[in-house]
Amino acid sequence: MSVLIKNGRIITPDADYTADIFIEGETISAIGKNLSAGQAGLNVKANKEIDASGMLVFPGGIDPHVHLDMPFMGTFSSDTHETGTRAALFGGTTTVIDFVLQTQGKSLQSALDDWNSRAKGNAVGDYSFHMAVTDFNENTKKEIKHFIEEEGITSFKTFMAYKGALMIDDRQMIGLMEEVKQHGGLINVHATNGDMIDYLVQKHREEKKLSPLYHYLSQPEVTEAEASERFVDMGNYTGCPGYIVHLTCEGALNAVRNATKRNQHVFVETCIQYLILDASLYEKDFEGAKWVMSPPLREKKDQKTLWAGINQGLVNVVATDHCPFMWEQKLMGEKDFSKIPNGHPAIENRMELLYSEGVAKNKITLNKYVEVACTNPAKIFGMFPRKGTIAVGSDADIVIFDPNKKHTISAKTHHMNVDYSGYEGWEVTGKVKTVLLRGEIAIDNNECKIEKGFGKFIKRNKVAQNI
Ligand code: URP
Ligand code: ZN
Ligand code: ZN
């Protein structure tokens, strides 16, 4: 199979030009002006030609923070590897990184086996895994090298919160950092102070303050700022590369800013919701459960800090933390906010919302857009230049995007397996038109053209120390 994409405006973090792209099999084999199938050097006639005049052409989006079919808070997130990766493709995301969760008392390998049994043969789009270490001990320690060198799983997630379920203490964190550093991996962290949050949750429950608003009030900014600073300091001490997931607020970003003053490099991810939604949504009584996630939505001043952080190069990635639950699942916490499954759906909306709210509203440039949504996740997590760029030899994961097309987000039309949208009625400028995944047309004019099982597990290389 060969495809010729004609006259698209190709965007990467450091380029913006109009050219043609020739794809043979799964990879890009030529980029140039006025390429025609059959000319010298292009000895295969293209099976298909796509006219991309007037369109933006950028690398397939990479969402490095999603939770698919994940057992959590007494239920499972509602998108499977099939429905979640398909919805991602509709929104221009060709590769996702999902989280495998170790069960405390069991091995990392048994958790991976469990996730493989749900993901293998089911994914439509490409995927990889982070390994979440929830119980670091002498046995777990022995498994780290194998995961990095043999499994291609080079990033290890830690939780400084979710006390009693997923949280590890600082002793375990330091030990894990030393081991991961030694073998060329990276630590991802959910950086909030689990003990403080646990205290505040119990206090609010005792006071019968049980609505979703108290989820927000149980996780004030200081819980995130404190844990981020502690994580950064432990990373500085051990020299282990660190990546803070879903960073939401000014206080936490200032901890990273301070680290850069002492020449420490820490990677930072925020998520689309923290850039464009705010905590006033928790005042909608139980409807606020749609946005019950951890950390919670913050204030307008934090949105400003995050947009500025992207432009300052302090925030490297915009992900989703996609963790959808049906409304019926959210109702598990109708009488007690602490029982509302944490998470919201966005895997399909990230690329279009970030374009519409970021690029179309002049908050970020097109180059920055591609950098934070496509290229940096590939570089940080050991997939570049196979993924995350448009270059000869790279996988032909390509989005053809109409920058002027307007549409409205709705649960009635989205493809995620969830019966509400956190963005219902949002007017969006810019729409994904065609998506190629490894040279195959995956999405065209709002139709999925590939089947479950097409998505491949992507083994990743050792991670970047710097980007
Ligand atoms: O609310 C969230 N974020 N749910 C998913 C688990 C996590 O903390 O990332
Ligand atoms: Zn988290
Ligand atoms: Zn998450």
Side-chain angles (χ1 to χ4, degrees):
M1 173 78 176
S2 57
V3 181
L4 182 61
I5 302 174
K6 296 282 295 173
N7 290 319
R9 182 174 162 201
I10 300 171
I11 317 290
T12 63
D14 42 23
D16 182 342
Y17 59 105
T18 298
D20 305 336
I21 302 171
F22 190 65
I23 297 157
E24 286 178 287
E26 296 201 338
T27 56
I28 296 171
S29 62
I31 303 173
K33 296 267 183 203
N34 305 316
L35 294 183
S36 61
Q39 79 183 64
L42 298 181
N43 50 15
V44 184
K45 193 166 162 40
N47 302 116
K48 187 168 172 64
E49 199 167 304
I50 300 173
D51 179 13
S53 312
M55 300 288 133
L56 302 177
V57 176
F58 45 77
I62 299 179
D63 187 343
H65 190 156
V66 307
H67 301 278
L68 302 175
D69 215 351
M70 180 178 82
F72 188 52
M73 296 185 73
T75 185
F76 277 76
S77 56
S78 60
D79 261 320
T80 61
H81 292 86
E82 178 187 350
T83 62
T85 58
R86 186 188 294 121
L89 286 167
F90 273 104
T93 292
T94 48
T95 303
V96 301
I97 314 184
D98 182 36
F99 290 85
V100 175
L101 300 186
Q102 177 192 16
T103 302
Q104 291 177 342
K106 291 194 176 171
S107 68
L108 301 182
Q109 187 61 49
S110 70
L112 179 61
D113 294 344
D114 192 21
W115 254 256
N116 275 333
S117 73
R118 292 196 293 279
K120 257 196 183 151
N122 276 326
V124 186
D126 284 357
Y127 68 102
S128 182
F129 290 135
H130 305 284
M131 183 72 229
V133 179
T134 63
D135 186 3
F136 184 68
N137 54 46
E138 281 310 307
N139 293 329
T140 324
K141 185 175 171 181
K142 292 188 194 123
E143 297 188 83
I144 300 294
K145 183 170 188 263
H146 168 81
F147 270 74
I148 295 176
E149 292 184 356
E150 309 297 328
E151 302 286 354
I153 296 177
T154 52
S155 44
F156 297 84
K157 169 82 176 285
T158 56
F159 292 91
M160 295 169 84
Y162 299 118
K163 196 172 164 62
L166 303 171
M167 179 170 152
I168 60 168
D169 61 22
D170 294 348
R171 190 173 191 274
Q172 294 181 75
M173 180 73 89
I174 292 276
L176 178 63
M177 280 179 162
E178 289 192 332
E179 193 63 19
V180 166
K181 182 199 169 193
Q182 194 185 329
H183 300 293
L186 169 147
I187 303 276
N188 298 353
V189 66
H190 172 127
T192 59
N193 183 317
D195 282 306
M196 278 178 83
I197 293 168
D198 195 52
Y199 170 80
L200 290 169
V201 168
Q202 293 316 324
K203 179 169 174 285
H204 288 135
R205 292 177 77 208
E206 279 159 24
E207 292 167 354
K208 302 275 174 270
K209 293 173 173 164
L210 297 169
S211 72
L213 177 66
Y214 290 93
H215 169 80
Y216 165 64
L217 294 174
S218 299
Q219 300 200 33
E221 181 173 1
V222 62
T223 59
E224 193 177 334
E226 185 282 328
S228 300
E229 183 152 352
R230 188 157 32 103
F231 175 76
V232 164
D233 286 346
M234 289 188 280
N236 189 44
Y237 174 71
T238 58
C240 184
Y243 176 101
I244 303 180
V245 304
H246 55 38
L247 185 142
T248 70
C249 59
E250 192 179 10
L253 196 61
N254 283 341
V256 176
R257 217 182 292 278
N258 287 337
T260 63
K261 288 185 196 152
R262 65 182 176 209
N263 298 326
Q264 185 186 359
H265 191 104
V266 181
F267 298 113
V268 172
E269 165 200 287
T270 191
C271 298
I272 187 66
Q273 59 271 27
Y274 301 119
L275 289 165
I276 64 177
L277 302 177
D278 68 74
S280 60
L281 290 166
Y282 298 121
E283 282 155 20
K284 288 173 170 257
D285 294 324
F286 193 69
E287 198 195 340
K290 288 179 183 168
W291 301 280
V292 163
M293 61 185 83
S294 294
L297 300 173
R298 301 284 185 202
E299 308 295 322
K300 294 258 189 253
K301 60 116 182 141
D302 298 299
Q303 294 180 355
K304 272 196 181 159
T305 300
L306 294 174
W307 285 112
I310 291 175
N311 285 316
Q312 291 160 341
L314 277 175
V315 175
N316 310 105
V317 170
V318 178
T320 59
D321 192 10
H322 176 75
C323 191
F325 296 99
M326 292 286 186
W327 188 242
E328 196 180 302
Q329 294 173 290
K330 287 281 184 181
L331 284 170
M332 289 162 65
E334 200 175 7
K335 294 195 170 59
D336 176 352
F337 71 87
S338 71
K339 299 198 165 47
I340 301 170
N342 286 199
H344 103 310
I347 202 168
E348 185 170 352
N349 307 126
R350 176 186 72 127
M351 299 287 286
E352 290 174 346
L353 279 172
L354 186 62
Y355 182 86
S356 188
E357 295 295 313
V359 182
K361 294 191 176 170
N362 292 319
K363 289 198 175 88
I364 55 171
T365 64
L366 253 178
N367 300 98
K368 190 51 107 172
Y369 171 76
V370 172
E371 183 183 321
V372 296
C374 317
T375 309
N376 278 351
K379 285 186 172 174
I380 294 168
F381 292 111
M383 293 187 279
F384 187 84
R386 176 175 177 190
K387 305 278 189 196
T389 191
I390 295 189
V392 171
S394 294
D395 278 4
D397 297 351
I398 294 175
V399 177
I400 302 175
F401 189 85
D402 183 342
N404 300 315
K405 183 139 180 167
K406 293 192 191 307
H407 60 113
T408 305
I409 295 180
S410 174
K412 291 194 188 81
T413 49
H414 74 202
H415 302 86
M416 298 176 284
N417 186 39
V418 54
D419 51 2
Y420 66 86
S421 169
Y423 306 93
E424 189 68 39
W426 275 57
E427 305 275 344
V428 177
T429 302
K431 184 150 183 36
V432 169
K433 188 169 187 295
T434 305
V435 178
L436 285 91
L437 175 57
R438 286 180 279 104
E440 201 69 38
I441 294 177
I443 302 292
D444 198 29
N445 288 322
N446 226 20
E447 258 184 58
C448 185
K449 305 284 188 189
I450 55 175
E451 301 294 326
K452 79 169 183 175
F454 186 86
K456 266 193 189 164
F457 176 76
I458 305 297
K459 274 193 167 189
R460 293 184 284 115
N461 298 322
K462 291 190 180 182
V463 299
Q465 303 274 324
N466 233 316
I467 47 175

